[in-house]
Amino acid sequence: MKSSLFSRRFLWLLAAALFGGGLALCAKDKAAPHPPLTLQLDPAAIDRNASSPVSYAPIVKKTAASVVYVFSTKKVRQPDMSQYFQDPMFRRFFGLPDPGQAQPREQVQHSLGSGVIVAADGYVLTNNHVIDGADEVKVAFGEPRKEYKATVVGRDAKADIAVLKIDAAGLPAATLGDSDQLEVGDTVLAIGNPFGIGLTVTHGIVSAVGRGNLGIEDYENFIQTDAPINPGNSGGALLDSKGRVVGINTAIISRSGGFNGVGFAIPINAARAIAEQLVATGRVARGFMGVNTQSLSPELAAEFSVKQGALITDVTPDSPADKAGFKSGDIITKLNGAPIEDPRHLQLAVIQLAPDTEVTVEYVRDGKTLSTKFKLGELPSQTIASGNHAAGNNEGVLNGVTVSDITPEIRAQLQLPSDLQGALITNVDPESASAEAGLQEGDIVLSLNRQPVNNANEAVRLSEEIKGPKVIVRLWRKGVSRFVLVDESEK
């Protein structure tokens, strides 16, 4: 799901694999009908004093079989432009058929990417943007090549991770390393299917760790590498010098359209945690404190007598942080013993933990260092009618619409009436039926098929229960409520 307007991925070369769409988390809070995810893990540290190998062939032979091709297709409706070119000369010039002839209204778009087999019974890890919006997803690998239709187990657009399942057994599952142990300068290999030419291996080093604030994803904690990554590499493996997967290749920065030595991979520890949740429950539940924070300028740091941390500006009423006694002006310096450098590090540390996890937070108040323990809540934003199903078999209604609860801060910011209840629309996929019907970011969903909606959970539940393809949505917008019919029969 996306909580901000979609998307700046056209700035990235790997955007060629995108379809658009707002699906990410499965809204069903029940176990997915899939076998448990069994992974091969090897957290041992590498020997950084060892001499560089003459060849990486043994590593490639060991791991390459675990990297697969991912193909997806999507049907898109094409507008009938002949109405703008009624003149016969224009029709002839542009190669348009006569007005009486049937106009093609659908076109099939193809996209390619890569994936990593992470379990012998057919689980494949890839990027969400590789399969987002697809009507059909296929996975191919091996010599002679074998091709399988894939089921989308679940996906998380905020972190750009998706889990696929193919009906196969005895597959060569990759061994996953510990991405937290990576250091700048470590040797890495990138394996994928660039430009669809076939399995390709490139070599480089870790250029940086913990990269963020790039505008690629909502939650960014990238491994940066100079191992060449190109279109089609998305979802492929980033390997360490022992052949273990330490990252999922995701994006590059490029002004020219070619690889310029700046590529990014999602750390495998984060990808693994998301995959385990998607397989176990079909959704990703993230921890939630309930604080708004800002970075410390050198002047503020000196004033508060701290070196680093996240300065709390607001505390959400009735949130876990509020109940734990946090106040505006407190500075969070550690979470579970790990230093907190700034607001981004605090956010990443919290969302990687599951709701109800007990945490120990160290903070500074009035120059004194204090500590408290409390349990995290669940990040409230959710996505309507999202993907715990086979690709192309959308269940429920309002696919591509993201909602969240109306918090006191949101109510004040949008100047909503105190008695207004509903679910706030935070994003609408521009290619969805909901967008065509006129739903917009900032609208408040009051009811679905005349059944009242009081919060995001109810909106999600009703969107799953209503079979569609049509649903009557009652909206509140700028002081006026109205009914809108959303018809997904052609989507």
Side-chain angles (χ1 to χ4, degrees), residues 198-434:
L199 202 66
T200 301
V201 182
T202 56
H203 168 262
I205 64 170
V206 174
S207 305
V209 294
R211 283 289 192 225
N213 299 319
L214 301 172
I216 304 175
E217 305 299 340
D218 287 358
Y219 303 135
E220 298 178 342
N221 190 32
F222 291 121
I223 302 165
Q224 182 180 328
T225 179
D226 65 348
I229 297 172
N230 289 290
N233 273 112
S234 286
L238 187 71
L239 308 177
D240 66 9
S241 58
K242 294 182 67 175
R244 300 170 299 186
V245 178
V246 291
I248 300 298
N249 300 323
T250 298
I252 65 172
I253 291 179
S254 175
R255 291 193 177 120
S256 65
F259 179 72
N260 291 333
V262 183
F264 300 100
I266 299 168
I268 196 61
N269 289 7
R272 185 186 77 192
I274 292 170
E276 289 173 340
Q277 286 198 59
L278 289 174
V279 173
T281 67
R283 62 190 296 265
V284 176
R286 292 183 165 92
F288 171 69
M289 278 187 63
V291 294
N292 292 329
T293 60
Q294 70 176 65
S295 299
L296 286 167
S297 64
E299 294 78 14
L300 283 174
E303 186 68 24
F304 284 104
S305 301
V306 295
K307 294 182 178 180
Q308 61 184 25
L311 174 60
I312 296 177
T313 57
D314 296 289
V315 180
T316 303
D318 297 323
S319 67
D322 185 32
K323 295 174 182 177
F326 286 97
K327 298 179 181 179
S328 176
D330 292 344
I331 301 169
I332 297 176
T333 56
K334 290 183 179 180
L335 189 143
N336 288 342
I340 297 298
E341 298 179 11
D342 52 35
R344 187 177 73 89
H345 285 90
L346 175 63
Q347 180 195 49
L348 291 172
V350 171
I351 64 172
Q352 288 177 6
L353 298 174
D356 294 326
T357 299
E358 185 175 74
V359 294
T360 300
V361 177
E362 190 172 296
Y363 62 102
V364 175
R365 176 185 293 173
D366 298 329
K368 297 180 180 179
T369 299
L370 306 173
S371 180
T372 185
K373 290 184 178 181
F374 62 98
K375 288 186 177 181
L376 298 175
E378 181 174 347
L379 194 65
S381 183
Q382 302 183 59
T383 301
I384 289 184
S386 178
N388 184 21
H389 49 72
N393 296 330
N394 289 337
E395 300 174 353
V397 293
L398 299 190
N399 289 283
V401 176
T402 306
V403 296
S404 69
D405 289 326
I406 301 175
T407 64
E409 288 81 4
I410 289 175
R411 191 179 297 276
Q413 180 180 357
L414 300 181
Q415 299 182 344
L416 304 178
S418 59
D419 59 347
L420 182 67
Q421 300 296 320
L424 171 69
I425 295 179
T426 58
N427 188 38
V428 181
D429 178 359
E431 296 182 0
S432 67
S434 295

Side-chain angles (χ1 to χ4, degrees), residues 21-291:
L23 304 182
L25 309 184
C26 177
K28 298 180 181 178
D29 194 9
K30 61 183 180 181
H34 298 287
L37 182 60
T38 303
L39 304 172
Q40 295 180 180
L41 307 178
D42 179 8
I46 62 173
D47 182 4
R48 293 187 172 85
N49 294 319
S51 58
S52 298
V54 175
S55 172
Y56 291 101
I59 295 174
V60 174
K61 290 177 181 178
K62 174 183 174 182
T63 311
S66 303
V67 180
V68 301
Y69 311 140
V70 178
F71 303 93
S72 55
T73 57
K74 176 186 179 183
K75 294 180 180 179
V76 294
R77 291 188 300 167
Q78 299 297 311
D80 181 3
M81 300 299 293
S82 63
Q83 58 180 311
Y84 302 107
F85 301 100
Q86 294 298 326
D87 186 277
M89 184 176 295
F90 272 86
R91 291 202 306 274
R92 190 177 303 113
F93 182 81
F94 286 99
L96 295 173
D98 292 334
Q101 297 180 1
Q103 300 293 314
R105 300 307 303 274
E106 282 190 343
Q107 185 180 31
V108 177
Q109 291 183 348
H110 300 273
S111 181
L112 59 88
S114 305
V116 181
I117 299 172
V118 293
D121 55 350
Y123 284 108
V124 176
L125 197 60
T126 188
N127 284 139
N128 176 66
H129 76 257
V130 171
I131 54 90
D132 191 21
D135 296 309
E136 184 178 61
V137 178
K138 291 184 179 180
V139 170
F141 57 90
E143 292 293 341
R145 181 161 140 173
K146 298 179 181 178
E147 193 171 281
Y148 298 85
K149 185 174 181 180
T151 296
V152 179
V153 175
R155 46 186 149 180
D156 179 12
K158 282 186 173 293
D160 201 10
I161 289 294
V163 178
L164 310 178
K165 182 71 169 66
I166 60 176
D167 187 11
L171 300 180
T175 298
L176 309 185
D178 181 2
S179 54
D180 289 342
Q181 295 192 42
L182 281 178
E183 294 183 7
V184 175
D186 285 349
T187 296
V188 287
L189 305 175
I191 302 184
N193 179 29
F195 304 107
I197 63 175
L199 202 66
T200 301
V201 182
T202 56
H203 168 262
I205 64 170
V206 174
S207 305
V209 294
R211 283 289 192 225
N213 299 319
L214 301 172
I216 304 175
E217 305 299 340
D218 287 358
Y219 303 135
E220 298 178 342
N221 190 32
F222 291 121
I223 302 165
Q224 182 180 328
T225 179
D226 65 348
I229 297 172
N230 289 290
N233 273 112
S234 286
L238 187 71
L239 308 177
D240 66 9
S241 58
K242 294 182 67 175
R244 300 170 299 186
V245 178
V246 291
I248 300 298
N249 300 323
T250 298
I252 65 172
I253 291 179
S254 175
R255 291 193 177 120
S256 65
F259 179 72
N260 291 333
V262 183
F264 300 100
I266 299 168
I268 196 61
N269 289 7
R272 185 186 77 192
I274 292 170
E276 289 173 340
Q277 286 198 59
L278 289 174
V279 173
T281 67
R283 62 190 296 265
V284 176
R286 292 183 165 92
F288 171 69
M289 278 187 63
V291 294

